[in-house]
Amino acid sequence: MRWMHISDIHMNKEFNNVMSNILREELPKFIVENKITVDYLFVTGDYRDSVYMKEDGLKEDVYLQALNVSEYILKIAQLLSVSSKHVYLVPGNHDLNRHCDDKKVIDQINKSYPLYRESLKDTELEYLLKRFDFFDIIDRQIHPNSKTYYRASHQLYNSEKADILCLNTAITCYGEEKEGDLILDTELIRKIADPIRHSVPLIVLAHHDFKFLTKKEEENLKYILKGRKVFYLCGHSHKLEYGYDDELEMWKIMVGTTKYANGATPIVSLVDTLNSGMISKLQFYKYDYIDKTGWTLYQEISQQIGTYKLGFTNKSISKDTIENFDVVQLPLLQTTSSTKIQRLETIKILAEVKFNLNNLGKVQHISVSSNGLPVNAGILIGYALHKRQNIQLSYLYRNMTFTHGVGKKIIQFKEIVNCDNISTDNSLSMYVYIQAKSRDDGSPAFYEYIKQKGLSNIYILSFFNTENYNENFDLELSAKYLIDRILEYYEDIRKKGYKKIKVHLFYNGFWGLALLLGNQMPTTFYIQLYDYDASVQQYNSSFLLKSNIFNL
């Protein structure tokens, strides 16, 4: 998938400076000369200048102004070989009509919104959206067949290669807002975002960066977006800013403007992604005023793709048993608990594997096979080959290959929570049991462990699978579901005032799911793993997962 992202056109019908006209006219020429084609064109607001929309300011004809902008956008789309169907727009703070009553109305909304509710009333929403008639005209010119009445409202589109969430972050703008002021109606966004698919990337279009939202709105929005491969595209600040948040799995890409002004940087972006949602190439083009070379490449991030096959075994198994794989032998046995010496040696071996594969900016596709190793080894291996290192894992089991892909199913788990005996102490232990195979033969030993240890003030969370595995299951998304649920319970406990939360994980079942579980395991707190010793049917403490475990 490929797209071009532009923002802050600030294009008026009559009142434009010469340099702005030049750089805008040269963008279509640049596209033609470089034969650039894309799947989508994204435009993130501010299509005109605010000075030409004030009641007491210089006035341009709103319709002619909007027609001028839409013709320019459609011209760029045509040259990029993009149909109008694949042009997506959001409004900015310059694209609304400002009235003298706005400040009074919005101040009242801001006073009541965080105290009593996190959604706008229908009457408030209608008042705010009616101000965006200029943006509505632009969108109707580009998408004449759309049935949406208020084009400036939050919208979700399910396209072929991505879900596209269009947000109006300017909905409560009136001209004097600053960082930390804006509210969005995140309850409405939550409802709209419900049909977002996990199998494709989610592209969020917004005019403003997160920092312009109130703290609560920022927290709500990030939580709604969490758990998906997200690209957050924005503008407003007239400068280049980009980065990846590995905790949220989100790229934020802010581009500049197509207007010449002091302190403004004219920058557009061109992005290529893989089917997995990872970026393969990220390019920024800047208009060069100094050397008069026009739109030229300014910065580029290019990610190579490496493909590996790793076979993990215990040391009693011959390396020849796994053909066409680079074999890694670990000193762990499948049926007995590990010793401290074995765990230390295993960590050293995996630290070396991790170091050899750690190539910044390179996407790693790694196929993993295993033989004769306990499930905790799968979790630990996945933790060493963590998703945050741009690693995409697949698991080979007998004649089956478990990969992440469109249309695959998520394993269904039954959840049981036991939190009856929790005290009001500052510390609490969270015991998580995952029965990852259809036959439950580990929970008796789990509950016996808790009984024998005489544990108190504990929060017990259990997951039970009842399905048989096949290649139709997406282990990555299934593991992601489990991690998200554990994190939700963890955050719920933390919000109740517990300052120290110890997480203990007892896993029993499918090795492949254990691998993908470790691949996405949170790294912000410690997680104690437990070995299941089948010879005596009991659990014993094993590896302690922490972010620096492989920093030897």
Side-chain angles (χ1 to χ4, degrees):
M1 177 173 59
R2 195 182 206 202
W3 71 73
M4 177 174 279
H5 172 206
I6 64 177
S7 191
D8 295 81
I9 297 173
H10 291 291
M11 186 177 186
N12 308 300
K13 177 62 179 173
E14 300 176 41
F15 304 105
N16 297 292
N17 60 54
V18 172
M19 287 303 299
S20 295
N21 287 335
I22 291 172
L23 70 89
R24 288 195 201 102
E25 288 175 4
E26 291 197 13
L27 181 58
K29 294 178 184 177
F30 164 76
I31 292 169
V32 172
E33 289 172 359
N34 290 274
K35 299 178 182 179
I36 298 173
T37 60
V38 297
D39 299 300
Y40 300 100
L41 172 62
F42 301 130
V43 194
T44 52
D46 277 4
Y47 304 91
R48 65 179 179 185
D49 278 314
S50 59
V51 68
Y52 309 115
M53 63 186 177
K54 291 180 179 178
E55 291 178 334
D56 58 348
L58 296 169
K59 299 292 287 186
E60 286 194 346
D61 182 283
V62 172
Y63 180 78
L64 293 178
Q65 196 180 39
L67 188 64
N68 188 46
V69 171
S70 60
E71 287 176 349
Y72 181 72
I73 293 172
L74 286 171
K75 179 180 180 180
I76 291 176
Q78 182 182 15
L79 296 175
L80 291 168
S81 300
V82 176
S83 68
S84 60
K85 176 185 175 184
H86 290 153
V87 177
Y88 294 91
L89 318 171
V90 292
N93 54 298
H94 284 250
D95 304 321
L96 55 96
N97 298 321
R98 297 174 185 173
H99 306 295
C100 57
D101 292 335
D102 283 358
K103 187 178 188 306
K104 180 181 177 181
V105 172
I106 293 172
D107 280 349
Q108 187 59 42
I109 291 172
N110 286 335
K111 286 178 182 177
S112 62
Y113 182 88
L115 294 176
Y116 310 113
R117 54 198 163 91
E118 290 175 10
S119 62
L120 296 169
K121 297 176 182 177
D122 290 343
T123 53
E124 294 170 339
L125 193 59
E126 184 177 14
Y127 175 88
L128 296 171
L129 289 175
K130 277 183 176 179
R131 304 179 304 150
F132 291 88
D133 58 340
F134 166 69
F135 175 78
D136 283 359
I137 297 170
I138 295 175
D139 197 78
R140 290 180 196 283
Q141 294 294 322
I142 295 174
H143 306 117
N145 298 322
S146 173
K147 304 298 181 184
T148 305
Y149 185 74
Y150 288 120
R151 303 300 180 96
S153 58
H154 306 311
Q155 303 284 340
L156 174 67
Y157 302 93
N158 300 120
S159 189
E160 294 92 338
K161 298 181 179 181
D163 284 335
I164 297 151
L165 181 61
C166 296
L167 301 181
N168 182 354
T169 57
I171 195 167
T172 53
C173 286
Y174 61 89
E176 299 177 16
E177 57 280 344
K178 55 187 181 298
E179 290 183 12
D181 278 357
L182 300 180
I183 62 174
L184 304 182
D185 194 343
T186 43
E187 171 60 15
L188 178 59
I189 295 172
R190 183 190 68 81
K191 293 176 181 176
I192 291 171
D194 188 54
I196 288 173
R197 300 165 291 176
H198 287 259
S199 55
V200 295
L202 171 61
I203 298 170
V204 181
L205 305 185
H207 182 62
H208 296 88
D209 188 8
F210 287 108
K211 64 186 177 183
F212 287 92
L213 310 182
T214 66
K215 287 296 183 184
K216 185 60 178 175
E217 290 290 77
E218 179 182 357
E219 180 183 319
N220 287 347
L221 181 58
K222 285 183 175 180
Y223 190 82
I224 291 168
L225 301 178
K226 192 174 182 179
R228 301 169 172 94
K229 294 180 177 69
V230 179
F231 297 91
Y232 187 91
L233 311 185
C234 61
H236 183 66
S237 297
H238 296 183
K239 64 181 181 180
L240 173 63
E241 197 173 287
Y242 63 95
Y244 183 72
D245 187 322
D246 57 3
E247 185 68 26
L248 294 172
E249 294 187 68
M250 178 188 300
W251 276 94
K252 187 196 78 173
I253 302 173
M254 177 194 295
V255 296
T257 178
T258 59
K259 173 186 176 180
Y260 177 80
N262 289 333
T265 308
I267 288 181
V268 301
S269 71
L270 197 63
V271 181
D272 292 89
T273 68
L274 306 170
N275 290 334
S276 62
M278 292 181 177
I279 284 182
S280 59
K281 184 179 289 186
L282 174 58
Q283 297 174 310
F284 297 103
Y285 293 89
K286 180 181 178 182
Y287 192 84
D288 190 336
Y289 299 112
I290 298 174
D291 295 330
K292 296 185 70 174
T293 53
W295 290 95
T296 56
L297 184 64
Y298 176 58
Q299 288 187 27
E300 179 178 23
I301 297 175
S302 182
Q303 298 198 77
Q304 301 172 341
I305 303 173
T307 303
Y308 304 92
K309 297 175 77 175
L310 297 178
F312 292 89
T313 73
N314 68 50
K315 288 193 172 181
S316 65
I317 298 175
S318 170
K319 289 188 176 184
D320 298 334
T321 58
I322 303 181
E323 297 179 0
N324 303 318
F325 277 74
D326 292 324
V327 178
V328 179
Q329 292 185 310
L330 303 177
L332 300 173
L333 297 177
Q334 190 169 12
T335 55
T336 60
S337 295
S338 57
T339 65
K340 185 176 180 179
I341 294 175
Q342 289 171 336
R343 290 195 292 272
L344 183 59
E345 186 179 349
T346 297
I347 290 170
K348 287 181 178 179
I349 293 169
L350 292 180
E352 184 177 353
V353 172
K354 174 183 167 71
F355 177 80
N356 290 335
L357 291 171
N358 187 18
N359 191 341
L360 196 62
K362 186 173 182 179
V363 179
Q364 320 277 13
H365 287 188
I366 302 177
S367 299
V368 173
S369 167
S370 69
N371 191 354
L373 291 172
V375 289
N376 274 346
I379 295 175
L380 191 68
I381 291 166
Y383 201 72
L385 308 178
H386 206 280
K387 192 179 183 70
R388 292 174 188 170
Q389 300 161 209
N390 277 347
I391 290 177
Q392 183 80 44
L393 293 182
S394 60
Y395 177 61
L396 279 65
Y397 176 66
R398 295 178 181 172
N399 61 342
M400 293 186 288
T401 302
F402 293 88
T403 59
H404 173 59
V406 177
K408 294 195 173 186
K409 298 189 297 182
I410 296 178
I411 300 165
Q412 300 299 310
F413 287 89
K414 178 183 176 182
E415 295 180 20
I416 298 177
V417 178
N418 187 337
C419 53
D420 297 334
N421 298 316
I422 294 179
S423 70
T424 56
D425 294 342
N426 287 333
S427 63
L428 179 143
S429 293
M430 182 178 179
Y431 279 75
V432 182
Y433 175 73
I434 299 176
Q435 180 65 43
K437 56 185 178 182
S438 58
R439 186 182 74 258
D440 179 15
D441 55 7
S443 63
F446 168 68
Y447 288 109
E448 182 64 24
Y449 177 90
I450 293 174
K451 180 181 177 181
Q452 286 185 357
K453 293 292 182 179
L455 299 173
S456 60
N457 200 32
I458 62 173
Y459 190 106
I460 302 174
L461 174 60
S462 303
F463 297 91
F464 295 91
N465 168 42
T466 58
E467 302 184 89
N468 293 316
Y469 292 89
N470 58 57
E471 290 172 292
N472 292 325
F473 287 110
D474 191 319
L475 297 185
E476 181 177 326
L477 289 185
S478 300
K480 182 69 176 167
Y481 167 80
L482 288 170
I483 294 296
D484 286 346
R485 294 298 292 155
I486 292 170
L487 285 174
E488 285 176 23
Y489 285 108
Y490 180 90
E491 286 299 316
D492 183 58
I493 294 170
R494 189 179 61 83
K495 288 177 181 178
K496 290 178 180 177
Y498 292 96
K499 295 180 180 179
K500 296 181 180 179
I501 306 172
K502 298 179 181 179
V503 180
H504 305 257
L505 178 60
F506 296 71
Y507 183 92
N508 184 24
F510 188 40
W511 203 95
L513 184 62
L515 174 74
L516 272 300
L517 203 64
N519 176 247
Q520 301 173 81
M521 197 71 78
T523 57
T524 53
F525 51 83
Y526 293 177
I527 300 175
Q528 177 67 59
L529 301 183
Y530 290 81
D531 291 328
Y532 181 65
D533 192 332
S535 62
V536 291
Q537 296 183 332
Q538 70 179 27
Y539 282 100
N540 296 295
S541 61
S542 179
F543 296 96
L544 178 64
L545 298 185
K546 50 186 179 179
S547 59
N548 62 349
I549 186 174
F550 299 109
N551 296 346
L552 301 177

